Amino acid sequence: MKKVNILAAPFVQEMMKTTANLYRLGWDERNGGNISYRLDEKWVQPFLDTTNVIREIPMIFDASILAGKYFIVTGSGKYFKNVKDDPEANLGIVRVQENGKTLDLLWGLSDNAVPTSELPAHFMSHIARLSVDPDNRIIMHNHATHLLAMSFTHDLSEKALTRTLWQMCTECLVVFPEGVSIIPWLVPGTNEIGEATAAKMLETRLVLWPQHGIYGAGRDMDEVFGLIETAEKAAQVYTYVCAQGGVKQTITDDNLWLLADAFGVTPHADYLDERV
Ligand code: 2HA
Ligand code: ZN
């Protein structure tokens, strides 16, 4: 059967638009940031002959839990700025082999490119999120500016950081009631940072990498993008609040409880004072 041009695929279009948006926001300078998006086989089949493997790509960790699954990923060393003009060079569609150690490349990553250097953190995070939410599809990493800045100036306890973000914009508690997790500073691209990130992803969809950036997880592009931009907006407000001389009044814990009730969300246990 004749295949439809892959550039018309909704998931390719979403990757093109999202990387352009993220670049425009200034969170993905140079080759900063990466996205992996789990696809169903039936989404891919109208566009690609899935028996036609272009090349095999080895991995440095075991992703056998993801065997047979398809992902569209950003390429290692590739610039988000360039994705829209040349998706085939900057993106790739891969399938995890049964051995969990090799990827089948089905499209893209032309000129011998490979998937994002953060593939361990992405795949380990997919495994963690799928274990708590079978509908999770996307892991996104970027260098959201104000969140990154806050990792220098703010107390790095998860409770303290989460509370500050919840207090900076009324919608934050509703958007990420489970809070934000934080890992130690670790070398990017390693299995170690992948394991640390994935362990946190069991509890929260947002994980801060101090002095580096943010990881987000979601069921679709709007969820994960919305999650990161809401936290980033709160971090930006915090930056202005500090520049304006600091907090004089804030959203109280009682207010946050009212919000949780109104929107039917459960705040992370122990992050709020007891209701009065
Ligand atoms: O892909 O952002 O963390 C470049 C990075 C590494
Ligand atoms: Zn990064």
Side-chain angles (χ1 to χ4, degrees), residues 15 31 33-36 54-61 71-80 83 87-95 101-120 122-123 189:
M15 291 291 278
N31 64 322
N34 24 76
I35 305 174
S36 58
I54 298 170
R55 136 170 87 87
E56 295 189 341
I57 301 172
M59 293 190 290
I60 56 166
F61 60 99
F71 294 87
I72 185 164
V73 297
T74 50
S76 177
K78 302 299 183 187
Y79 292 23
F80 274 24
V83 172
E88 190 159 3
N90 293 288
L91 303 173
I93 295 177
V94 295
R95 179 179 53 214
K101 288 258 179 188
T102 314
L103 295 172
D104 290 332
L105 177 66
L106 301 172
W107 173 79
L109 298 176
S110 50
D111 293 329
N112 253 356
V114 291
T116 167
S117 58
E118 299 293 359
L119 203 63
H122 278 253
F123 275 5

Side-chain angles (χ1 to χ4, degrees), residues 32-34 118 141-143 188 209 212-213:
N34 24 76
E118 299 293 359
H141 164 62
N142 60 54
H143 302 164
W209 284 13
H212 185 144

Side-chain angles (χ1 to χ4, degrees), residues 118-264:
E118 299 293 359
L119 203 63
H122 278 253
F123 275 5
M124 290 179 202
S125 294
H126 276 289
I127 292 168
R129 285 310 302 169
L130 284 170
S131 75
V132 292
D133 178 7
D135 293 327
N136 193 83
R137 288 197 179 271
I138 302 179
I139 301 294
M140 177 185 287
H141 164 62
N142 60 54
H143 302 164
T145 313
H146 300 84
L147 284 167
L148 173 45
M150 271 182 85
S151 74
F152 292 85
T153 58
H154 198 277
D155 180 347
L156 284 184
S157 96
E158 292 171 344
K159 176 176 176 177
L161 184 92
T162 297
R163 285 180 55 84
T164 296
L165 295 176
W166 283 352
Q167 288 164 349
M168 290 298 125
C169 300
T170 294
E171 65 172 342
C172 282
L173 178 88
V174 179
V175 176
F176 50 94
E178 79 271 37
V180 180
S181 296
I182 307 175
I183 60 165
W185 186 92
L186 291 166
V187 177
T190 58
N191 285 350
E192 191 188 9
I193 202 166
E195 282 158 11
T197 307
K200 297 293 189 181
M201 282 279 179
L202 293 171
E203 306 287 338
T204 68
R205 292 162 298 156
L206 284 169
V207 180
L208 183 71
W209 284 13
Q211 295 85 50
H212 185 144
I214 187 82
Y215 260 74
R219 295 175 172 187
D220 57 37
M221 210 58 97
D222 276 352
E223 183 188 349
V224 65
F225 202 132
L227 192 59
I228 292 177
E229 71 183 342
T230 303
E232 168 62 11
K233 175 64 178 277
Q236 184 175 9
V237 172
Y238 176 76
T239 306
Y240 290 148
V241 167
C242 291
Q244 288 180 11
V247 172
K248 290 220 163 50
Q249 54 278 319
T250 190
I251 308 171
T252 64
D253 282 20
D254 286 342
N255 296 150
L256 290 168
W257 279 120
L258 290 173
L259 204 57
D261 290 344
F263 286 87

